[in-house]
Amino acid sequence: MYKQFVKGCIYSFILFIAMGFIGSQNARADIMVVTNFFPTINATEVCADTKLRITFNTTPIIATAGTLQICKVSDDSVVWQLDLQVLPVDAYGPKAGGWPDAYRINLDGLPLNYLPFTITGKTLEIYPATQLSYNTAYYVKMTAGFCTDASSNISPGLTDNTSWRFTTKSAPAASHDYLVASDGSGDFCTLQGASDAVANNDTTRTIIKVKAGTYDGIVYVPTAKTNITWLGENRNTTIISAYNRNDFQTSGGTANRMAVRIDAAGFRMYNVTFLNTTPDGGTQAETISHGGQKYIADNCKYLSYQDTILFNGLEYLNNCYIEGDTDFIWGYGTAYFNHCEIKSLTTSTSYITQPRTPTASQNGFFFVDCNLTGGPGVSGCWFTRLFSGYPYAQVAYINCIMPSTLIAPVGWNPNNEGDLTHLRLWEYKSVDPSGNLINVSSRLTPGSSQLSDVNAAYWRNINNVYSVSGWDPTIVNAPTAAWLPVPADTATGVATAGVTLTWVAGAEATSHDVYFGTAA
């Protein structure tokens, strides 16, 4: 009896200790720990187009219910509210059906479904569907459990006007030189905010410099925002990213399914990557849709799968990288690709282009001195897949390099185009990486042809490609001036020992002169 009593006491004691330990663990672990806010608490000089970032001690998972609000300190009014909801999805992510109003954004009159949040590592980023007022104090409220983690812990609630408060900066002075930085150190935090600040129909070029970082969110530049240049710090680390696809937008169609849409004329970009994060098979998902005239891209990257680039104007791409697998360069425009890498991601179903050249008097797509590559084991791809109703489609590959098995022997896929007699599908001296001529004896006939030396030289000349418009993009002055120098330009009192000079090289610059001196 005594032994049983002792054993019972010991068991009860152990159970008590165990339950106490578990309870202690739950008490300490059921609330996720916030390790950082952006903007920081009580920050000043915050961009009016700021995003909100919350970093936790564990990887957050967005809940299916909860509310986040941005409120004015002055009157407690709610300027933006996000109500979490169960989202319609398919195998490729969010889809259009039943999309809630809380997940819609209006970009310069273009209404779009959008994802107002992303998760990278342990950081939740919120993208408000509004720009805040300048020189105004705000605070953020958030219901407890807005996020959870893999252990079912929940994020803490923010219920007052002091836990996360910040004040926006004054409006940047009207300028033709803006800086975008995701960390808030520039004039704007987003490409959308900076582009919106450009005066309508401005004949003077505005340079928007973009510091390295990933800028999530759809960007739209309307027709009135002319003569803009985006100058990235580094094309591998300056990334404009968005999830968008045809089946995500309620209206669908080419107007709404892109990561970036540019309708303005005179647009130029350097050292930027464009990424549509839609997975393979997720329907059409352009990285960029361009309908304006005289577009220049230099040292840029375009990453998607289907319909990666849509060109409907006049375009010139130099030293760019483009990848995809289905009609991934397409449209109604005239485009010249110079020394670009064009990468096919899948075998057999990879169609590099779909030209919809409307008439015999308009030119199409020209690839000159380009490198056609494929993913591991990729072969049997196609130069072009035609589309019915465009019998004057034009594509030319001049002096391009490609693995001998990358392109199917017939080269061109007529698809549902019945009239092959007027097609302008041209090739000239394609070679493999070792410089050997590709066997072209089985190319599509009728419909395609090998250019003569004289004709190849004619179409290599960019002035002949743009003869109707008279545009020569090769004489455009790139923004070659260096920027973001450290120490800052005109800085004084700089230490004389241990100084490292750094700067961001200007676009296409081959060298920079550095001037510095010492006080007498």
Side-chain angles (χ1 to χ4, degrees):
M1 177 70 73
Y2 177 75
K3 288 183 179 179
Q4 290 177 338
F5 175 78
V6 171
K7 287 182 179 179
C9 289
I10 292 173
Y11 175 80
S12 298
F13 179 74
I14 293 173
L15 181 61
F16 173 78
I17 295 296
M19 290 298 291
F21 176 76
I22 293 171
S24 174
Q25 286 293 95
N26 284 338
R28 289 189 291 108
D30 60 354
I31 299 297
M32 299 166 67
V33 176
V34 176
T35 61
N36 189 57
F37 286 114
F38 176 87
T40 57
I41 298 170
N42 295 322
T44 58
E45 296 297 304
V46 173
C47 296
D49 61 336
T50 188
K51 297 182 180 181
L52 307 178
R53 290 193 283 271
I54 311 172
T55 303
F56 298 95
N57 64 329
T58 55
T59 300
I61 302 168
I62 291 289
T64 55
T67 299
L68 183 143
Q69 297 176 329
I70 301 177
C71 307
K72 277 187 180 180
V73 170
S74 60
D75 59 6
D76 295 317
S77 60
V78 177
V79 300
W80 183 69
Q81 178 169 312
L82 174 61
D83 295 311
L84 295 179
Q85 299 183 36
V86 177
L87 303 179
V89 297
D90 60 20
Y92 305 100
K95 63 179 182 180
W99 200 247
D101 288 340
Y103 294 75
R104 291 183 65 81
I105 192 170
N106 190 301
L107 300 179
D108 293 301
L110 184 68
L112 296 168
N113 297 338
Y114 88 120
L115 283 177
F117 47 74
T118 58
I119 293 174
T120 304
K122 297 179 181 180
T123 298
L124 165 67
E125 181 172 82
I126 304 290
Y127 183 9
T130 186
Q131 179 163 305
L132 304 178
S133 298
Y134 290 109
N135 198 28
T136 302
Y138 294 93
Y139 64 94
V140 179
K141 297 177 69 174
M142 185 176 71
T143 56
F146 192 87
C147 296
T148 62
D149 65 13
S151 299
S152 298
N153 303 317
I154 66 171
S155 59
L158 303 173
T159 59
D160 55 51
N161 66 359
T162 59
S163 295
W164 188 7
R165 179 188 290 207
F166 58 86
T167 303
T168 55
K169 64 177 68 176
S170 299
S175 175
H176 290 98
D177 190 342
Y178 292 122
L179 177 65
V180 174
S182 61
D183 62 4
S185 61
D187 301 302
F188 299 94
C189 285
T190 67
L191 271 295
Q192 189 68 55
S195 299
D196 286 347
V198 176
N200 287 348
N201 303 308
D202 199 339
T203 57
T204 301
R205 180 155 298 278
T206 298
I207 308 294
I208 298 175
K209 297 166 181 161
V210 190
K211 292 183 69 173
T214 298
Y215 298 84
D216 287 311
I218 300 170
V219 182
Y220 173 48
V221 182
T223 304
K225 302 298 181 179
T226 55
N227 298 312
I228 293 176
T229 293
W230 289 349
L231 174 59
E233 182 175 350
N234 181 298
R235 89 166 184 177
N236 293 316
T237 56
T238 304
I239 302 169
I240 303 171
S241 169
Y243 171 88
N244 198 5
R245 61 189 179 108
N246 193 70
D247 287 357
F248 179 41
Q249 294 302 328
T250 303
S251 59
T254 58
N256 299 323
R257 68 194 187 199
M258 66 295 135
V260 175
R261 174 176 160 182
I262 298 171
D263 289 345
F267 205 94
R268 303 173 190 168
M269 52 190 62
Y270 303 83
N271 310 333
V272 178
T273 286
F274 300 91
L275 169 64
N276 193 320
T277 60
T278 298
D280 195 13
T283 69
Q284 301 97 322
E286 283 86 355
T287 61
I288 194 163
S289 171
H290 181 252
Q293 298 298 314
K294 300 181 180 180
Y295 165 102
I296 294 176
D298 194 312
N299 197 40
C300 292
K301 296 173 70 174
Y302 303 84
L303 312 177
S304 187
Y305 290 94
Q306 185 169 353
D307 294 9
T308 303
I309 294 179
L310 169 57
F311 282 153
N312 289 332
L314 299 179
E315 291 86 15
Y316 173 70
L317 284 79
N318 180 64
N319 191 35
C320 291
Y321 174 92
I322 306 159
E323 68 177 31
D325 68 6
T326 305
D327 305 332
F328 63 95
I329 301 171
W330 78 286
Y332 307 83
T334 301
Y336 190 107
F337 301 81
N338 184 56
H339 286 95
C340 295
E341 180 179 353
I342 314 297
K343 185 173 183 178
S344 297
L345 297 178
T346 57
T347 291
S348 301
T349 57
S350 182
Y351 310 102
I352 294 174
T353 65
Q354 186 177 100
R356 298 192 181 183
T357 319
T359 65
S361 62
Q362 180 177 316
N363 294 325
F365 298 158
F366 293 79
F367 298 85
V368 179
D369 297 325
C370 290
N371 190 14
L372 277 55
T373 62
V378 169
S379 64
C381 303
W382 305 85
F383 286 136
T384 281
R385 179 170 69 162
L386 299 175
F387 191 73
S388 179
Y390 297 93
Y392 296 98
Q394 183 180 42
V395 182
Y397 293 86
I398 299 174
N399 293 118
C400 292
I401 301 170
M402 63 198 74
S404 59
T405 60
L406 179 66
I407 302 298
V410 71
W412 314 83
N413 188 329
N415 195 23
N416 55 7
E417 175 55 60
D419 182 2
L420 306 183
T421 58
H422 304 295
L423 296 172
R424 297 170 291 170
L425 308 180
W426 299 335
E427 186 179 8
Y428 178 74
K429 292 189 176 180
S430 298
V431 299
D432 66 20
S434 297
N436 303 307
L437 286 171
I438 299 291
N439 183 351
V440 296
S441 60
S442 299
R443 293 293 193 245
L444 178 69
T445 302
S448 76
S449 61
Q450 301 295 309
L451 291 174
S452 67
D453 292 346
V454 171
N455 285 337
Y458 179 88
W459 290 110
R460 169 182 282 276
N461 186 332
I462 200 166
N463 293 303
N464 294 323
V465 172
Y466 297 112
S467 59
V468 174
S469 65
W471 179 48
D472 186 351
T474 63
I475 64 174
V476 169
N477 293 323
T480 56
W483 51 292
L484 289 183
V486 177
D489 189 27
T490 71
T492 60
V494 179
T496 57
V499 176
T500 300
L501 303 178
T502 63
W503 60 89
V504 177
E508 299 184 1
T510 57
S511 65
H512 291 289
D513 295 327
V514 179
Y515 299 90
F516 55 92
T518 59

